Amino acid sequence: MRPHYIGLMSGTSTDGVDGVLVRADDAHPVSAAPSDAPGYALTLMAEASLPLPDGLRQQLLTLNTSGPDELVRSALAANALADCYAQVVHTLLDETGLRAADVRAIGAHGQTVRHKPQAGYTIQINAPARLAEHTGIAVVADFRSRDVAAGGQGAPLVPAFHAACFGLDSGRVILNLGGIANVTLLDGGVRGFDTGPANMLMDAWAQLHLGLPYDREGRWAASGRCHAGLLAALLAEPWLALPPPKSTGRDLFNLDWLHTRLDAYQTSPAAADRPRGSTAAYHPPVAPISAGDIQATLLQLTVQTICEAVHQYAPTAREVLACGGGALNPVLMDALAGALPCRLSTTADYGIPVQSVEALAFAWLAQAHVQGQATCLPAVTGASHASVAGCLYPA
């Protein structure tokens, strides 16, 4: 029997766990060889999703900032997340009729709660030993640390997988619209980097004002109008001007970041409050911006940062293939289609469901780890050398 792999992903949006079970051809090398058609040697056999329990989701979000008992809380959250992972694994096995012994390894990324490669660390909440114990399957986890140790960003992790799927000379850009947006540029080499927030800020704003986990189909954003002044203030974030390699996350783009810039934009000192002799231009206080207009502005922030990245770093791209949860947001996709310099489609047009791409990538990364193939690439992460991603926890 050909070996099987499972890929699990709970992304920055913390909405749930996506899992896939694939059949792999281990005789086919895991590589980024040019190809006009998907050539990643994985056959998708089953998909499963599980919403994260509200309590666990909130705990994971809270762990993005320091707080009391965070070591204990992170350990308990890791165990609970591993239990959710195990539930998805058992669902996949039930759907396919396979046994644990038929699966070579599980690729489980965990939940990123800190990501500061410039300080030499990245932290993913996970309990891979517990997952291996509860499933009877070896687990590959901790995919970022080796690259960070080699001086890299440890992210994004999936460009090598994208290259294996779509070919090095395809003239395509693969755009992942998760909590953070990242792009893979396939133009004769493999490059990739984060461009800024995708769904993260829009989801947080919807939760704050609508009490909903996200703005379904972008309807709330569509009801508002982008505020040009606020958009310019958000685009002034210095990180956005950094050249790749670069990566980011909730450490930077969060509600505190948004409120700080919103407050600074909406309030400016009256002329009488300026130092005597100041020649600074006077800007009267800005009228409050409606929550709906802010949502529309956040959507445009996502669009503009992505489009600027494509314009600057992939000017000859023929096609952008979107995946991730944001690819199911028609308002966001329409805005991107109108702003990008080339055709926009989705990975589903090439047979890869948009919600399954990252889970598939971690199944592929698990296979690569088992085969000893380097998938963390210096051209992507800025590391001093390529490295094999992940650590293996035997069954």
Side-chain angles (χ1 to χ4, degrees), residues 315-353:
T316 62
R318 299 191 304 271
E319 183 179 33
V320 171
L321 300 182
C323 59
L328 302 176
N329 181 334
V331 177
L332 176 59
M333 290 293 285
D334 285 349
L336 282 167
L340 283 166
C342 56
R343 186 167 77 94
L344 175 67
S345 53
T346 74
T347 57
D349 297 325
Y350 292 83
I352 306 177

Side-chain angles (χ1 to χ4, degrees), residues 86-161:
Q87 187 174 340
V88 173
V89 169
H90 289 301
T91 298
L92 291 167
L93 293 176
D94 290 343
E95 287 185 7
T96 57
L98 294 172
R99 302 166 299 143
D102 297 323
V103 180
R104 187 82 168 270
I106 298 168
H109 179 243
Q111 191 70 38
T112 300
V113 294
R114 300 284 203 287
H115 184 65
K116 292 202 173 180
Q118 68 276 14
Y121 70 87
T122 182
I123 300 173
Q124 283 72 48
I125 295 289
N126 202 356
R130 184 182 180 96
L131 179 59
E133 182 68 23
H134 286 359
T135 62
I137 303 171
V139 175
V140 182
D142 192 19
F143 288 93
R144 299 194 194 278
S145 293
R146 181 60 188 274
D147 186 79
V148 172
Q153 293 283 310
L157 288 167
V158 295
F161 169 70

Side-chain angles (χ1 to χ4, degrees), residues 192-218:
F193 55 93
D194 290 348
T195 63
N199 302 313
M200 182 184 295
L201 291 176
M202 290 188 286
D203 289 352
W205 196 246
Q207 291 158 23
L208 181 65
H209 289 275
L210 302 180
L212 299 173
Y214 60 95
D215 177 13
R216 185 176 294 277
E217 296 184 340

Side-chain angles (χ1 to χ4, degrees), residues 5-332:
Y5 292 86
I6 288 174
L8 300 171
M9 183 62 182
S10 52
T12 313
S13 296
T14 65
D15 50 354
V17 178
D18 293 319
V20 298
L21 191 152
V22 301
R23 185 178 68 246
D25 179 3
D26 266 0
H28 188 292
V30 175
S31 66
S35 171
D36 291 327
Y40 48 93
L42 300 178
T43 300
L44 180 61
M45 297 186 66
E47 304 171 77
S49 295
L50 178 70
L52 287 179
D54 289 341
L56 174 57
R57 182 175 188 275
Q58 189 55 49
Q59 190 64 260
L60 291 170
L61 290 172
T62 301
L63 284 166
N64 281 270
T65 55
S66 296
D69 271 344
E70 63 179 304
L71 290 178
V72 173
R73 289 188 291 110
S74 66
L76 294 175
N79 286 348
L81 181 61
D83 292 346
C84 290
Y85 283 169
Q87 187 174 340
V88 173
V89 169
H90 289 301
T91 298
L92 291 167
L93 293 176
D94 290 343
E95 287 185 7
T96 57
L98 294 172
R99 302 166 299 143
D102 297 323
V103 180
R104 187 82 168 270
I106 298 168
H109 179 243
Q111 191 70 38
T112 300
V113 294
R114 300 284 203 287
H115 184 65
K116 292 202 173 180
Q118 68 276 14
Y121 70 87
T122 182
I123 300 173
Q124 283 72 48
I125 295 289
N126 202 356
R130 184 182 180 96
L131 179 59
E133 182 68 23
H134 286 359
T135 62
I137 303 171
V139 175
V140 182
D142 192 19
F143 288 93
R144 299 194 194 278
S145 293
R146 181 60 188 274
D147 186 79
V148 172
Q153 293 283 310
L157 288 167
V158 295
F161 169 70
H162 292 156
C165 288
F166 300 105
L168 295 179
D169 297 309
S170 65
R172 297 186 180 110
V173 173
I174 313 303
L175 168 63
N176 177 48
L177 294 167
I180 292 293
N182 55 68
V183 292
T184 297
L185 315 180
L186 301 174
D187 52 2
V190 186
R191 296 178 293 154
F193 55 93
D194 290 348
T195 63
N199 302 313
M200 182 184 295
L201 291 176
M202 290 188 286
D203 289 352
W205 196 246
Q207 291 158 23
L208 181 65
H209 289 275
L210 302 180
L212 299 173
Y214 60 95
D215 177 13
R216 185 176 294 277
E217 296 184 340
R219 296 168 190 165
W220 190 34
S223 72
R225 296 180 62 184
C226 176
H227 191 286
L230 176 60
L231 177 61
L234 300 180
L235 288 169
E237 162 57 46
W239 183 90
L240 295 172
L242 293 176
K246 62 178 182 177
S247 58
T248 190
R250 289 188 188 276
D251 302 75
L252 176 59
F253 293 108
N254 51 50
L255 281 180
D256 285 343
W257 178 89
L258 175 58
H259 280 129
T260 296
R261 281 145 189 81
L262 182 61
D263 291 345
Y265 179 75
Q266 291 192 142
T267 59
S268 61
D273 295 329
R274 287 181 290 159
R276 186 180 298 275
S278 171
T279 59
Y282 169 61
H283 299 285
V286 177
I289 307 171
S290 74
D293 285 355
I294 292 172
Q295 184 75 349
T297 304
L298 293 174
L299 185 143
Q300 191 58 38
L301 172 68
T302 294
V303 170
Q304 190 153 332
T305 49
I306 290 168
C307 291
E308 287 178 359
V310 174
H311 274 286
Q312 184 170 1
Y313 296 103
T316 62
R318 299 191 304 271
E319 183 179 33
V320 171
L321 300 182
C323 59
L328 302 176
N329 181 334
V331 177
L332 176 59

